Amino acid sequence: AEAYQVLSDPELRKKYDVDGKEGLSPDRTGVNSIVPGVDPALLFAFLFGSDKFGDYLGRLAMATSALVGDSKKIGPVEARTLQKRRVTRLAIKLAERLEMWVKEDYDGAKAIWASAATDLSQASYGTELVRTIGKIYSLSAHQFLGSLDSGIGMPSIAKWAKGHAASMERQGETSKAKRDGLVAGMKMVTMQQTAAKDIAAATTDEERKAKMDEMEEKMTTGMLGVMWTTTVVDITTTLHEVAQMVLFDQSVDRDTRKRR
């Protein structure tokens, strides 16, 4: 909302150019006072899956970044520590979900997983998230079974080839998501510039309001696109780490790792 005001108000744009972020304080824009103390984690959870995906995805990287903001106490090292804790917790949860399968209760495991997938799909972006999670799990499993480092014995040529193909596909998916995010971001910048010109050129209050409403709708859609592609990159890299931790877990025997 602050961005919309700054784009559409020449005076606010000048203040931002001079004062930077301080120019967007509540007394300047009157926006922050409307929604004080909003928890970024709740916001991103509401947009992408609610809290139902907590044991599958943890706190999204965007939410963590928004929470720490410009904190001088959180640097790259601390951020990586937070990510490691996230991965470890998710790995423990994944191992627990796989336990029924490891104990050869295949029908029971499938029934529980199918029920969970149906429930998760009801959340915002639920179907897309479930499919993304499933694909990452599948690619990680194929990569593990086709890896010489898995500790489960020499893979067959077919498994080795499938593992390498899975690795390449996972890397390709991550690269595509990053490209999509970059393209979406560039479109947002272009959209902002065009909207600012249109609003500045408006000759009446009604025309200006119509342009602002149009910009708000387009910006909301565009921002959701940027956030989604960024979330896909985050999920892909995080769940790959989670799967690696579970599949290469040396605290269990080789057969358990293979069953997982």
Side-chain angles (χ1 to χ4, degrees):
E2 288 177 326
Y4 299 147
Q5 287 195 15
V6 173
L7 282 172
S8 58
D9 190 320
E11 290 301 317
L12 283 178
R13 287 206 300 273
K14 289 179 182 178
K15 289 177 181 179
Y16 181 79
D17 290 339
V18 175
D19 301 326
K21 280 187 172 182
E22 294 302 317
L24 301 183
S25 57
D27 60 314
R28 302 289 184 89
T29 63
V31 174
N32 284 345
S33 58
I34 298 175
V35 283
V38 173
D39 184 346
L42 292 178
L43 172 61
F44 289 113
F46 174 77
L47 288 174
F48 302 116
S50 74
D51 58 351
K52 291 184 177 182
F53 283 89
D55 289 342
Y56 297 84
L57 304 177
R59 177 183 287 162
L60 297 175
M62 284 192 300
T64 300
S65 297
L67 279 171
V68 300
D70 298 324
S71 173
K72 296 180 180 179
K73 296 182 180 180
I74 306 294
V77 175
E78 291 77 14
R80 183 56 191 163
T81 299
L82 289 175
Q83 176 67 0
K84 285 183 178 179
R85 290 176 181 173
R86 174 190 180 191
V87 169
T88 301
R89 188 179 73 82
L90 294 178
I92 292 172
K93 291 294 183 179
L94 177 56
E96 290 174 352
R97 290 196 296 273
L98 291 170
E99 189 62 24
M100 189 175 289
W101 183 275
V102 171
K103 291 181 178 179
E104 300 185 24
D105 185 359
Y106 303 131
D107 291 337
K110 288 180 179 179
I112 290 176
W113 297 343
S115 176
T118 299
D119 181 51
L120 291 169
S121 296
Q122 305 306 309
S124 175
Y125 279 82
T127 301
E128 294 86 346
L129 286 169
V130 168
R131 288 175 177 170
T132 300
I133 293 170
K135 188 168 187 177
I136 296 167
Y137 284 166
S138 180
L139 291 175
S140 296
H142 285 307
Q143 183 180 356
F144 173 76
L145 292 173
S147 170
L148 294 173
D149 300 323
S150 64
I152 60 173
M154 183 71 73
S156 66
I157 294 297
K159 284 186 177 180
W160 179 85
K162 201 167 189 178
H164 276 264
S167 178
M168 293 176 65
E169 184 174 352
R170 183 186 63 79
Q171 293 172 5
E173 289 289 330
T174 303
S175 297
K176 181 181 182 299
K178 288 180 178 179
R179 289 195 302 272
D180 289 346
L182 181 60
V183 170
M186 293 299 295
K187 286 183 178 179
M188 286 285 290
V189 172
T190 302
M191 194 184 303
Q192 287 177 338
Q193 294 173 341
T194 302
K197 291 179 181 178
D198 290 343
I199 292 172
T203 56
T204 65
D205 290 341
E206 290 184 358
E207 185 181 359
R208 180 176 297 145
K209 184 180 184 304
K211 292 293 183 182
M212 288 183 65
D213 290 343
E214 181 183 357
M215 178 184 68
E216 182 174 350
E217 183 177 351
K218 289 182 178 179
M219 290 287 287
T220 299
T221 302
M223 183 57 71
L224 281 174
V226 172
M227 292 167 66
W228 171 248
T229 52
T230 303
T231 297
V232 170
V233 174
D234 173 36
I235 292 174
T236 301
T237 54
T238 297
L239 292 193
H240 177 66
E241 290 186 65
V242 170
Q244 293 293 96
M245 185 174 288
V246 170
L247 297 176
F248 286 90
D249 180 9
Q250 297 302 305
S251 68
V252 297
D253 58 39
R254 184 177 63 180
D255 185 58
T256 297
R257 295 199 297 275
K258 185 176 181 178
R259 288 178 184 275
R260 284 177 173 179

